[in-house]
Amino acid sequence: MKKYIALALLATFTMGSCTKLDVDVESQLTGDNFPKSEDAFLAATGTIYKKFTEKYGVDIWRMQELSTDEAIITARNGGYYDQGRYISMHKHSWTPSDPSVQGAWEWGYSGISDCNRVLDLLKKAEAGELRDLYTNEVRTMRALFYFYMMDMFGNIPITTFGTTEVAKQTPRAEVFKFIEKELLEASEGLNAPPTVTQKFYGRPTKWMAYALLQKMYLNAQYYIGTPMYTESITYADKIMTGSGMSLMADYNQLFAINNGPNSETIFAAVYDANYSPGNQFTRFSLHGTLRAKYNLPFTPSNAMCTISEFYSTFNLKDDVRNATWLAGPQFLADGKTAIKNGSAQLNFTPEIILTDQATMDVGPELNGISRGVRSIKYFPDPNTNSTTRFQNNDVPVFRLGDVYLMKAEALLRSNGDAGIAVGLFNQIRKRSGAAEVTAITLDDILEERGRELAWEGWRRNDLIRFGKYEGKWGFKAGNEDINRRIFPIPATELVLNGNLNQNDGYTK
């Protein structure tokens, strides 16, 4: 079991009551048992990482991907209708009462609250390098939670620990500046290993803080109305020249069952099938008849796939990323024996044909339940927990491939050196086995980001930045209100906190 998960569970059991904001931390910890050793600091901070991962791979991922052209959950003969929650994600018809919206808000502020609690605890620990390091790591994790909340909800409260005062809503531009300040300060006290080894894997490093700053600056024109492409390039360069990180030669290994620390992944949501809820890509993506092919201890649910428009971009000759999708007639591992779906061969068709438009249902016909191309990017894990159906693949959050593409984009947007941008773009192409190019446009970068970062949780962020989030795809009409670029403040939160105002375009 991965060490930080074990320590997170230990912390949950020994200090679980501390997650309540009205509990006096000193009633749980005294001067004799405040963190002193490195393991003690890991245990004290471990709950933060557990909170991040437990919903990141399903709930938060769905907010970022099901609302785009990369992923869709249709109803299949009545199954997975789920009161229309997946329809609302696909068609951008969510409301303040949507359970997915509520869940995302609770995830973000639960994580922020835990960071605030732990920071208060660390103030009482003995001064020294360990306290400083872990304080900076927690501040960086809190900045990451705030980033997701700012990205999803716009104007949000900045909260503090131990106060009875009801939090007030802060304009997005001020939240942006708060996150920026936190990252700039905290990054100075973070570890800067040449590559992210096992010791620092799944924890903030200087490179993780820089990657988040690069991402924020690339999106600054949208977030605060001020372009910051030069700053985005600066922080890409800090990673590329300051670290010893490099692109993995084997793209697929980044998402493999045993992916773990490597030369490219800067920060990941770390999963252990038996201890950390969150990664269920195999459960939701694969058809039940594929159980034998991948030696799975459970029958997949056959829910999630991609749409034909997005799959059509995986059209480059010799591109290894094409093989991350299952399309067409399906065979066992020998490549010859047909997998049967009833009396017919299982056949994943890129086109998804609905029999009921209102419920977005593909109907009961034999191959209706196999509509849509399926992802095996996070390769099916035979050691998946058969009860929970959680698998062991870690999910990259920041990696060097994204750093390259973000820098190339920032160069184009700022009229920078196009030759450098093409060179970075071609490093991604070369690794994938696809043909290199001599020139690129912003549209080329968006398409390449789709190929390179499919199902990694950045598509919504990308489409908004490129002005294409209101586009038409799948069964979404397009041309919707641009206010849909952010989600509504959940209805329950408006009731609980009278200082909150609903986002534009939504009713209470």
Side-chain angles (χ1 to χ4, degrees), residues 60 63-64 67 107 143-156 172 175-176 179 212 215-216 219 222-223 457-465 469 483-487 503:
I60 302 306
M63 301 288 279
Q64 306 298 334
S67 64
W107 170 81
L144 182 61
F145 276 112
Y146 271 121
F147 167 78
Y148 276 106
M149 295 301 286
M150 176 191 70
D151 182 70
M152 288 189 288
F153 295 101
N155 304 329
I156 58 170
R172 181 184 248 183
V175 179
F176 181 99
I179 299 170
L212 180 50
K215 182 80 70 174
M216 284 180 56
N219 288 279
Y222 165 63
Y223 288 145
W458 291 115
R459 187 64 169 178
R460 173 180 162 274
N461 184 274
D462 289 347
L463 290 178
I464 291 172
R465 186 172 67 256
Y469 193 57
N483 287 318
R484 293 276 155 174
R485 292 179 180 182
I486 59 174
F487 295 105
N503 288 326

Side-chain angles (χ1 to χ4, degrees), residues 350-417:
E351 297 76 21
I352 302 172
I353 301 171
L354 300 182
T355 59
D356 188 319
Q357 296 290 328
T359 60
M360 232 164 67
D361 200 313
V362 296
E365 79 277 9
L366 185 61
N367 265 335
I369 59 172
S370 58
R371 301 279 188 193
V373 172
R374 310 310 171 89
S375 174
I376 53 168
K377 184 171 186 174
Y378 302 95
F379 201 77
D381 182 4
N383 294 313
T384 296
N385 186 300
S386 60
T387 301
T388 63
R389 294 166 287 189
F390 297 136
Q391 61 194 86
N392 287 289
N393 319 57
D394 299 335
V395 178
V397 180
F398 298 108
R399 60 182 179 88
L400 194 63
D402 191 6
V403 170
Y404 283 9
L405 289 174
M406 286 194 291
K407 180 179 176 181
E409 180 184 338
L411 284 167
L412 290 192
R413 291 186 183 276
S414 62
N415 296 314
D417 191 320

Side-chain angles (χ1 to χ4, degrees), residues 409-430:
E409 180 184 338
L411 284 167
L412 290 192
R413 291 186 183 276
S414 62
N415 296 314
D417 191 320
I420 293 176
V422 171
L424 292 166
F425 186 95
N426 278 334
Q427 288 193 57
I428 299 298
R429 282 289 183 90
K430 184 176 181 180

Side-chain angles (χ1 to χ4, degrees), residues 258-468:
N258 61 342
N259 47 357
N262 58 71
S263 66
E264 181 171 346
T265 300
I266 297 170
F267 180 75
V270 182
Y271 291 113
D272 184 304
N274 297 311
Y275 296 94
S276 59
N279 183 347
Q280 295 185 323
F281 287 109
T282 294
R283 171 196 173 183
F284 290 115
S285 299
L286 295 195
H287 191 280
T289 55
L290 292 169
R291 177 177 181 175
K293 177 177 181 178
Y294 295 106
N295 194 28
L296 299 173
F298 70 101
T299 300
S301 302
N302 188 46
M304 192 161 59
C305 58
T306 194
I307 62 175
S308 60
E309 296 100 315
F310 183 70
Y311 176 65
S312 69
T313 64
F314 285 79
N315 56 1
L316 302 179
K317 183 181 178 182
D318 300 325
D319 190 337
V320 299
R321 299 169 301 190
N322 297 342
T324 62
W325 300 100
L326 297 180
Q330 297 299 301
F331 301 88
L332 291 176
D334 62 11
K336 299 177 181 179
T337 306
I339 297 175
K340 294 291 186 178
N341 178 28
S343 60
Q345 184 176 9
L346 181 65
N347 183 20
F348 293 132
T349 61
E351 297 76 21
I352 302 172
I353 301 171
L354 300 182
T355 59
D356 188 319
Q357 296 290 328
T359 60
M360 232 164 67
D361 200 313
V362 296
E365 79 277 9
L366 185 61
N367 265 335
I369 59 172
S370 58
R371 301 279 188 193
V373 172
R374 310 310 171 89
S375 174
I376 53 168
K377 184 171 186 174
Y378 302 95
F379 201 77
D381 182 4
N383 294 313
T384 296
N385 186 300
S386 60
T387 301
T388 63
R389 294 166 287 189
F390 297 136
Q391 61 194 86
N392 287 289
N393 319 57
D394 299 335
V395 178
V397 180
F398 298 108
R399 60 182 179 88
L400 194 63
D402 191 6
V403 170
Y404 283 9
L405 289 174
M406 286 194 291
K407 180 179 176 181
E409 180 184 338
L411 284 167
L412 290 192
R413 291 186 183 276
S414 62
N415 296 314
D417 191 320
I420 293 176
V422 171
L424 292 166
F425 186 95
N426 278 334
Q427 288 193 57
I428 299 298
R429 282 289 183 90
K430 184 176 181 180
R431 192 260 297 274
S432 75
E436 297 180 37
V437 299
T438 58
I440 54 173
T441 66
L442 284 173
D443 283 343
D444 292 331
I445 287 180
L446 178 61
E447 193 166 288
E448 194 68 20
R449 286 186 65 80
R451 296 187 189 100
E452 178 69 14
L453 299 164
W455 285 36
E456 292 184 49
W458 291 115
R459 187 64 169 178
R460 173 180 162 274
N461 184 274
D462 289 347
L463 290 178
I464 291 172
R465 186 172 67 256
F466 279 82
K468 296 182 183 292

Side-chain angles (χ1 to χ4, degrees), residues 49-83:
Y49 303 100
K50 184 172 183 294
K51 285 180 184 294
F52 180 82
T53 59
E54 65 186 3
K55 286 190 175 183
Y56 180 81
V58 178
D59 300 71
I60 302 306
W61 185 92
R62 286 178 176 174
M63 301 288 279
Q64 306 298 334
E65 296 286 4
L66 291 182
S67 64
T68 77
D69 57 351
E70 280 195 356
I72 185 173
I73 295 180
T74 63
R76 299 182 184 272
N77 198 25
Y80 284 99
Y81 174 65
D82 289 2
Q83 292 78 50

